[in-house]
Amino acid sequence: MNITQAIEKGRLCLSASDSPGSDSQYILCYVLDCTVTYLHTWPEKKLSEQQNIDYEALLLKRKIGVPVAHLIGQQSFWSLELDVNAKTLIPRPDTEILVAMALEKIQLGMVVADLGTGSGAIALALASEKKGVHFMAMDRSLGALKVAQANAKKCKITNITFWQGDWLSSIANNKLDMIVSNPPYIASNDPHLKRGDLRFEPSSALVSGQDGLKDIRLIVKQARLALKSKSWLLIEHGYEQASEVNILFQQAGFEQVQCAKDYGDNDRVTLGQQPL
Ligand code: GLN
């Protein structure tokens, strides 16, 4: 079987996936240890017997729903290629708007906390752009923190301190210059949890009580104490949660509360400023 035939085989095998063509190409690149450009440059190149076996085994796993990111152990986010496994959420392009909004407001010398860092995606993306800023990346899960720390090492990023915690409960009042977070925000009975990649991701990173807002409620409340005056809180949420999250920010006393859309044009990030 050559590269063209392998991609065709993948397309047929994964016809139930949303993206059979690109899934097949990513999996094949992983097996051949090559880039997508290589696949197009050498379409006639034959797979070895072992490569055939490995490719087919991965296609079968993908067919039963295992996320591509878990099969190849990687996901790109912002400008970074991150290692991922089943201990963390798979970074999504939706979250890049949170990074872009935070970058607009981050200034030299700040201390910025990323709550529920998972694979480290947000903190690493910000830290890669802002070398003169100190980041604190928190997660409750030690398994996730290990992944995040390994990613920092891989990306040679040194301006992040990692800590295990329960949101902001161990942070003293009036300490932080910015808080960013992509917390769990899915309602426990949401049918999406039984579909697609979500079935393979840790529910601790996805589910937040009956209405999906349990953790956001807590973070908004705690952030009012932890943030310095005039500092910003930015939280990612579900596309239908913007008005409820807006109310939570307003009730807590945040000012300039606004919502930003992701690149899919969905309401995705709410931000607010701590009063003077
Ligand atoms: N963005 C994810 C999804 O809906 C959920 C992530 C989260 O709960 N933080 O697929």
Side-chain angles (χ1 to χ4, degrees), residues 89-90 92 94-95 182-186 192 198 201 205-207 236-238 268:
L89 193 79
I90 300 166
R92 311 277 205 275
D94 300 343
T95 304
N182 174 15
Y185 54 70
I186 300 179
H192 289 101
L198 270 61
E201 295 174 281
L206 295 169
V207 178
E236 176 176 329
H237 49 72
R268 186 60 66 193

Side-chain angles (χ1 to χ4, degrees), residues 7 10-25 59:
I7 295 172
R11 267 187 218 282
L12 290 173
C13 176
L14 305 180
S15 56
S17 153
D18 289 340
S19 47
S22 59
D23 288 5
S24 309
Q25 292 188 28
L59 286 182

